Amino acid sequence: MKNWLLFVVTFCLVVICKGQVTWHQLGYEYYIHTGVEVTNQAAVNACTSMNATLARIKTKQVQDFVMEKIKLLYPGTMWKHFYIGLNRINSSSTGFQWNDGTMVTSGYTNWRSGEPNNGDGNENCVVLLYKIGHSLHGKWNDLSCLWNRRYICERRVEKDTTTQQQTTTDTHTDKTTTVTQRAFTTTTTNNDPLEQMKTSCEFSTIHVVMSSLGSIVGTSVVFIIGILIYCKKRRNHDVTAPSPKTRAVS
């Protein structure tokens, strides 16, 4: 019975906590994946599913911010590698391009010594290294995109639309006419792929409430089924159990 209760509690916690993603804001929003390590393409797909891309670390400010957030998640000293949104487009040492199309030429970089070296001839992806107290802490390294690593996502913070109303006064020689133009809504758009995506994965309060209710219902069903299975097995065991042997009469 204890095993069933443990299973139900664990199942409930997993279902309710699933999908609770923490984003850290610094102009953009950043998500640091701490789960199972995946290939670069899987990391790209995971970020896309959250209306994001792999993070572009173009300034030291962003670098320090991300490293500080990782430290909160991993206060220990174990190695952690995180895919970022930088990829090789040619074999030269400067032949790297951010996933928004900008080249890495004179901008901020933080390569480890001797990198990028394209050591295996196919090191077309880049990871951010994390190991507190190590000389390579915070450095970048190129590697094969097939390696399983964690990742950092980035997306633009959704902006609220603003409604404005303009009033224009037209003055003539003998009268003044005030003309009120129709209210209009302004939104900011550009060619950034993050801006072109809808933030459909936001967790509003009602979403969290509905998800929790669904989790409770699902957990209750699993619990009831488990109890029924347990009782049935116990009843079958009692029915099929052999009767005690009687002692032979001498």
Side-chain angles (χ1 to χ4, degrees), residues 180-232:
T180 302
Q181 298 180 346
R182 295 176 60 187
F184 62 94
T185 301
T186 59
T187 56
T188 303
T189 59
N190 57 28
N191 293 327
D192 193 308
L194 293 176
E195 188 66 25
Q196 297 172 358
M197 300 176 184
K198 294 181 180 179
T199 53
S200 59
C201 292
E202 292 291 334
F203 288 94
S204 63
T205 302
I206 189 170
H207 290 157
V208 174
V209 172
M210 293 302 293
S211 177
S212 299
L213 290 176
S215 300
I216 294 173
V217 172
T219 302
S220 301
V221 172
V222 173
F223 180 80
I224 294 172
I225 293 175
I227 292 297
L228 292 175
I229 294 175
Y230 175 82
C231 293
K232 183 176 181 181

Side-chain angles (χ1 to χ4, degrees), residues 29-152:
E29 291 184 316
Y30 298 90
Y31 163 65
I32 301 165
H33 176 69
T34 59
V36 177
E37 295 181 337
V38 297
T39 65
N40 181 267
Q41 185 57 57
V44 170
N45 295 341
C47 291
T48 300
S49 71
M50 296 183 287
N51 300 320
T53 66
L54 286 176
R56 298 184 288 274
I57 304 179
K58 295 184 177 181
T59 66
K60 188 176 186 301
Q61 181 187 22
V62 173
Q63 167 91 10
D64 293 343
F65 176 79
V66 169
M67 294 300 292
E68 185 62 28
K69 297 306 177 183
I70 297 176
K71 184 178 180 180
L72 296 177
L73 299 170
Y74 295 106
T77 58
M78 294 184 63
W79 276 108
K80 305 294 179 185
H81 299 173
F82 298 87
Y83 277 119
I84 59 177
L86 190 59
N87 296 92
R88 182 188 299 278
I89 61 172
N90 61 58
S91 59
S92 69
S93 60
T94 58
F96 284 84
Q97 184 181 66
W98 291 107
N99 53 21
D100 64 353
T102 57
M103 293 294 298
V104 177
T105 53
S106 59
Y108 174 80
T109 59
N110 197 34
W111 297 107
R112 62 178 291 187
S113 178
E115 301 292 344
N117 63 357
N118 199 23
D120 296 327
N122 64 343
E123 296 185 338
N124 299 321
C125 291
V126 178
V127 291
L128 171 67
L129 306 178
Y130 178 87
K131 184 175 175 62
I132 296 177
H134 198 281
S135 61
L136 297 182
H137 183 64
K139 297 298 182 180
W140 304 357
N141 183 54
D142 61 338
L143 80 171
S144 169
C145 301
L146 298 179
W147 283 102
N148 290 328
R149 296 291 184 263
R150 292 176 175 83
Y151 53 89
I152 305 171

